[in-house]
Amino acid sequence: MSKFSDYNFNGQKALIRVDFNVPLNEKFEITDDTRMRAAVPTIKKILADGGMVILMSHLGRPKEGPTEKYSLKHLIAHLSELLGGATVLFANDCIGEQAYLTASMMRPGEVLLLENLRFYKEEEKGNEEFAEKLSKLGDVWVNDAFGTAHRAHASTAVIAKFFPAEKRFFGLLMEGEVTSAEKVLHSAEKPFTAIIGGAKVSDKILIIENLLDRATDIIIGGGMAYTFMKARGGKIGNSLCEEDRLSTAVEILEKAKAKNVSIHLPEDSVIADKFDAEANTNVSPSDAIPDGWMGLDIGPKAEGIFAEVIKKSKTILWNGPMGVFEMEKFQKGTKAVATAIAEATQAGSFSLVGGGDSVSAVNKFGFTDKVSYVSTGGGAMLEYFEGKELPGIAAVK
Ligand code: AMP
């Protein structure tokens, strides 16, 4: 691969895989353009060099071929606006005559948006012929879609073989994601604390196991903490519990001990008499929750202990909320963790936040600019931290 920022794209047609999978309302208006904005620096650099940009993306999960609902044409006007009024051409097919013809007539400074890749089932199947057809559109291939880097699809990975190594690039977004993820996983300065929360142990087992070989401390919060509490012999009332994961929880605790990794579970919890924003609440030790009550957030003692661990850390990875942060009564713990991470970052630590719900939490509480890096790739980032090789990264390299 070549380094994107060192390359001059003058006169080149850059075929960029972006992740423009944005939510649209029933009038086909974009309700959150974060993913589009994330690709802008990459596109602008190529245009500024005097290059041409051809964008390919998926949108939603179309089941049977082209449909209005999943057409990328709804993004044209907003894309041009984000690019300061640049000409955005559109091809109503991502391969075929019209796409090739339009691409062949492009002039420097112009952008061509191709129709939804997933209108072809070949995309997700990683079909080689389809990938080759796509590859004919550009002189160089740029992968800037971290969100789909864990998929070996035609446009995200298979296409790589049709470009020589020096014509394959990570875009700026992807480069940022890969650099921060590699820093945390492979060259983390110690102490390294991983904060894992969210609803289910089963979703996070692989990531915890991989982190046992790397982190010095693992903080476990959210609904998944109660499976661990019960596994240790605690009483958890009606809190979330995955009965079939109790033995896994015990194994994780034992492995951590053997590897000298400190696992921090919430000493106390904010408990509620029902899963409801208006529930009655109280505070209880997390291992002595009364029958009929459930833990929906970490308690004040846990907040203090977690904050201390976080503030001592040089590297911090955060995935998953500490409680039901969508409800006001149960968001204090998640906010406290976000605050501690912001303070540690301010003091020079490196912090990476990733995974859908922790990202919405930092956005919701206004901490986005106070952490070192917010990853946009939920599933991709999880798989990366589970220790898997991501096809979208391997293909470029
Ligand atoms: P995940 O997608 O696994 O990261 O889980 C995120 C979800 O877990 C959020 O919607 C939270 O509301 C939920 N959650 C966090 N803590 C708890 C808890 N103690 N009980 C039930 N749900 C929780």
Side-chain angles (χ1 to χ4, degrees):
M1 67 179 263
S2 303
K3 193 161 162 52
F4 184 85
S5 19
D6 296 343
Y7 193 84
N8 187 342
F9 290 90
N10 187 20
Q12 299 277 304
K13 274 192 196 108
L15 179 61
I16 317 182
R17 176 52 157 105
V18 286
D19 177 4
F20 279 0
N21 185 24
V22 291
L24 300 176
N25 64 18
E26 62 290 345
K27 285 192 243 152
F28 304 122
E29 292 158 348
I30 301 159
T31 55
D32 179 355
D33 68 350
T34 310
R35 287 175 170 159
M36 292 175 75
R37 276 187 286 112
V40 166
T42 299
I43 300 172
K44 279 195 169 164
K45 140 88 176 147
I46 295 169
L47 297 182
D49 280 355
M52 291 149 272
V53 164
I54 302 175
L55 298 171
M56 49 181 180
S57 177
H58 72 286
L59 176 67
R61 294 174 175 270
K63 293 225 165 54
E64 48 212 57
T67 40
E68 174 82 4
K69 183 173 173 198
Y70 295 115
S71 174
L72 280 163
K73 72 179 179 204
H74 306 302
L75 277 57
I76 302 171
H78 190 58
L79 178 60
S80 171
E81 206 177 292
L82 289 176
L83 296 173
T87 303
V88 176
L89 309 162
F90 183 72
N92 55 20
D93 191 351
C94 60
I95 50 175
E97 276 311 304
Q98 194 219 347
Y100 294 131
L101 196 65
T102 315
S104 71
M105 293 192 313
M106 285 177 81
R107 286 176 307 197
E110 286 183 344
V111 175
L112 165 62
L113 177 63
L114 303 173
E115 184 55 289
N116 197 342
L117 292 159
R118 290 198 187 163
F119 285 166
Y120 286 88
K121 57 182 181 334
E122 288 85 349
E123 163 64 359
E124 287 181 86
K125 291 208 163 112
N127 180 285
E128 218 167 276
E129 272 170 53
F130 177 68
E132 187 171 17
K133 284 181 188 160
L134 288 172
S135 74
K136 300 253 188 281
L137 287 158
D139 305 311
V140 302
W141 173 59
V142 180
N143 191 357
D144 213 17
F146 186 67
T148 47
H150 55 320
R151 309 278 184 225
H153 293 171
S155 67
T156 62
V158 181
I159 193 169
K161 70 170 65 149
F162 302 106
F163 293 92
E166 70 278 9
K167 299 213 162 167
R168 302 196 297 253
F169 301 85
F170 286 138
L172 294 171
L173 169 68
M174 186 88 166
E175 196 176 83
E177 294 276 359
V178 174
T179 310
S180 357
E182 281 181 349
K183 183 169 170 156
V184 169
L185 203 58
H186 299 297
S187 50
E189 210 184 318
K190 305 274 168 71
F192 167 18
T193 297
I195 307 154
I196 309 291
K200 286 174 153 186
V201 179
S202 46
D203 289 345
K204 309 278 164 90
I205 289 169
L206 294 175
I207 189 168
I208 295 178
E209 289 203 325
N210 191 35
L211 289 170
L212 283 174
D213 287 325
R214 300 172 193 278
T216 48
D217 296 82
I218 300 181
I219 289 175
I220 297 179
M224 59 188 282
Y226 301 100
T227 302
F228 283 90
M229 281 292 167
K230 185 159 180 186
R232 283 203 325 197
K235 248 184 89 229
I236 60 165
N238 288 353
S239 307
L240 268 191
C241 180
E242 286 171 274
E243 295 287 341
D244 56 340
R245 299 293 175 176
L246 289 169
S247 56
T248 312
V250 172
E251 272 167 37
I252 289 176
L253 293 170
E254 280 168 0
K255 273 191 204 160
K257 208 171 196 181
K259 290 178 194 266
N260 222 2
V261 177
S262 307
I263 299 246
H264 307 272
L265 291 166
E267 195 170 314
D268 58 351
S269 291
V270 174
I271 57 170
D273 59 354
K274 54 182 173 203
F275 189 88
D276 192 286
E278 304 305 325
N280 294 309
T281 63
N282 211 333
V283 172
S284 145
S286 300
D287 58 359
I289 298 178
D291 289 340
W293 291 72
M294 60 187 89
L296 292 187
D297 195 7
I298 59 170
K301 277 192 197 144
E303 277 177 21
I305 296 167
F306 289 3
E308 244 171 68
V309 175
I310 292 167
K311 284 194 246 168
K312 276 195 324 234
S313 309
K314 287 273 164 250
T315 307
I316 301 155
L317 170 67
W318 183 23
N319 174 280
M322 295 293 102
V324 185
F325 74 104
E326 298 92 336
M327 300 181 193
E328 211 181 324
K329 286 186 176 178
F330 313 112
Q331 58 180 223
K332 219 172 137 263
T334 302
K335 237 184 205 169
V337 161
T339 307
I341 298 175
E343 284 178 31
T345 312
Q346 175 86 35
S349 305
F350 183 81
S351 55
L352 169 58
V353 180
D357 276 318
S358 23
V359 173
S360 18
V362 292
N363 288 338
K364 180 171 173 163
F365 303 141
F367 283 98
T368 313
D369 298 330
K370 297 182 177 152
V371 297
S372 312
Y373 197 82
V374 178
S375 170
T376 54
M381 136 116 190
L382 268 184
E383 289 197 20
Y384 184 86
F385 283 101
E386 284 170 1
K388 294 185 185 142
E389 181 176 67
L390 305 191
I393 295 180
V396 177
K397 286 188 167 170

